[in-house]
Amino acid sequence: MPAVCILVHGINISDSGAATVDRLIPYLKSSFVIEQVDYGWMFVLGALFKASFLASRVDALLKQYAEKGWDINLIGHSNGCTIIYKALRKSEYTANVKNVVFIAPALDTSIDFPTDTIKYHVMYSPFDMPTKVAKIINYLPGLSNLCWGNMGAVGSTTPQQGLTNYNVNALYFTLSGKRKVFGHSTFFDHEVLTVFGPWLERTIA
């Protein structure tokens, strides 16, 4: 069955994901049609006020490919994970979603993931400082609707069928035999992707 992979980058970047999620494309393009949800630079208030609009853009892609009968996979980084999460919560087109990969997710650790039929892969590192800050920001008045948290630093604490937490420091050592300290975007370093790119393609293909 044809399959699509939808990529959603994070905030506080001006390259539309070129240095993060777009670097996955060479490893995925042989197995998937690639769709990118780009939205330019924004910070906290932009993430708050544009979240619904961006989730709707993801939902439109879910509808487009579900109606074709395609398998659907989603990969997000940082706030891109939050956008994907909000899209899945509101969407009527999740039946064809097979895998969701959250890389360094700026998400509340205790959220319930939509549907038990999707395989969720949460990539986290205890050294991810920006998501620790995201947890603090979420407590500020008027910002709780961000759904931000430090899932990127500790993984998900919600027991759910089909959900797997991966400590990327440990996983990288298992796959490569090399030790590396992973920060918020280390997953996308070129050297790292020579290990994680093929692994990710195998995991969701």
Side-chain angles (χ1 to χ4, degrees), residues 24 76-77 101-105 121-129 131 151-155 164-189 192-193 195-197 199-200:
L24 297 173
H77 175 235
V101 181
F102 287 150
I103 301 171
H121 312 270
V122 177
M123 319 300 292
Y124 76 94
S125 170
F127 307 102
D128 185 343
M129 293 306 298
T131 60
M151 191 182 293
V154 301
T164 305
N165 287 306
Y166 300 91
N167 181 322
V168 290
N169 303 273
L171 181 59
Y172 184 73
F173 179 74
T174 298
L175 294 174
S176 70
K178 300 176 182 178
R179 299 191 183 278
K180 193 172 186 68
V181 175
F182 279 72
H184 190 56
S185 300
T186 309
F187 190 97
F188 303 104
D189 289 356
V192 170
L193 281 179
V195 175
F196 273 142
W199 173 85
L200 183 60

Side-chain angles (χ1 to χ4, degrees), residues 86-167:
K86 291 184 175 183
L88 292 173
R89 282 185 60 185
K90 66 184 288 187
S91 182
E92 299 177 1
Y93 303 96
T94 60
N96 285 51
V97 177
K98 303 303 179 184
N99 294 276
V100 174
V101 181
F102 287 150
I103 301 171
L107 274 169
D108 186 334
T109 61
S110 62
I111 59 170
D112 291 322
F113 291 96
T115 87
D116 288 329
T117 62
I118 299 172
K119 292 181 180 179
Y120 290 94
H121 312 270
V122 177
M123 319 300 292
Y124 76 94
S125 170
F127 307 102
D128 185 343
M129 293 306 298
T131 60
K132 294 179 181 180
V133 174
K135 180 179 180 179
I136 297 171
I137 291 173
N138 201 64
Y139 285 124
L140 297 177
L143 297 181
S144 61
N145 285 340
L146 284 168
C147 298
W148 277 4
N150 63 334
M151 191 182 293
V154 301
S156 170
T157 59
T158 303
Q160 182 163 334
Q161 180 178 345
L163 187 151
T164 305
N165 287 306
Y166 300 91
N167 181 322

Side-chain angles (χ1 to χ4, degrees), residues 5 38-40 46 56 62 67 79-80 92 109 160 186 201:
C5 190
D38 296 334
Y39 51 87
S56 295
L62 296 180
E67 290 179 343
N79 186 64
E92 299 177 1
T109 61
Q160 182 163 334
T186 309
E201 190 274 337

Side-chain angles (χ1 to χ4, degrees), residues 1-3 62-72 96 98:
M1 182 178 295
L62 296 180
K63 180 178 184 292
Q64 175 184 335
Y65 285 97
E67 290 179 343
K68 293 180 179 181
W70 286 34
D71 287 344
I72 301 170
N96 285 51
K98 303 303 179 184

Side-chain angles (χ1 to χ4, degrees), residues 5-78:
C5 190
I6 301 168
L7 307 178
V8 189
H9 64 77
I11 65 169
N12 198 27
I13 63 170
S14 56
D15 64 359
S16 297
T20 54
V21 292
D22 288 5
R23 290 186 177 180
L24 297 173
I25 294 174
Y27 300 97
L28 301 173
K29 65 182 181 181
S30 63
S31 298
F32 306 99
V33 168
I34 305 296
E35 292 280 3
Q36 299 161 264
V37 179
D38 296 334
Y39 51 87
W41 187 93
M42 66 182 185
F43 201 51
V44 177
L45 292 181
L48 179 64
F49 293 122
K50 293 184 178 179
S52 180
F53 167 71
L54 293 172
S56 295
R57 285 181 57 192
V58 174
D59 189 32
L61 289 171
L62 296 180
K63 180 178 184 292
Q64 175 184 335
Y65 285 97
E67 290 179 343
K68 293 180 179 181
W70 286 34
D71 287 344
I72 301 170
N73 303 274
L74 301 107
I75 301 177
H77 175 235
S78 192

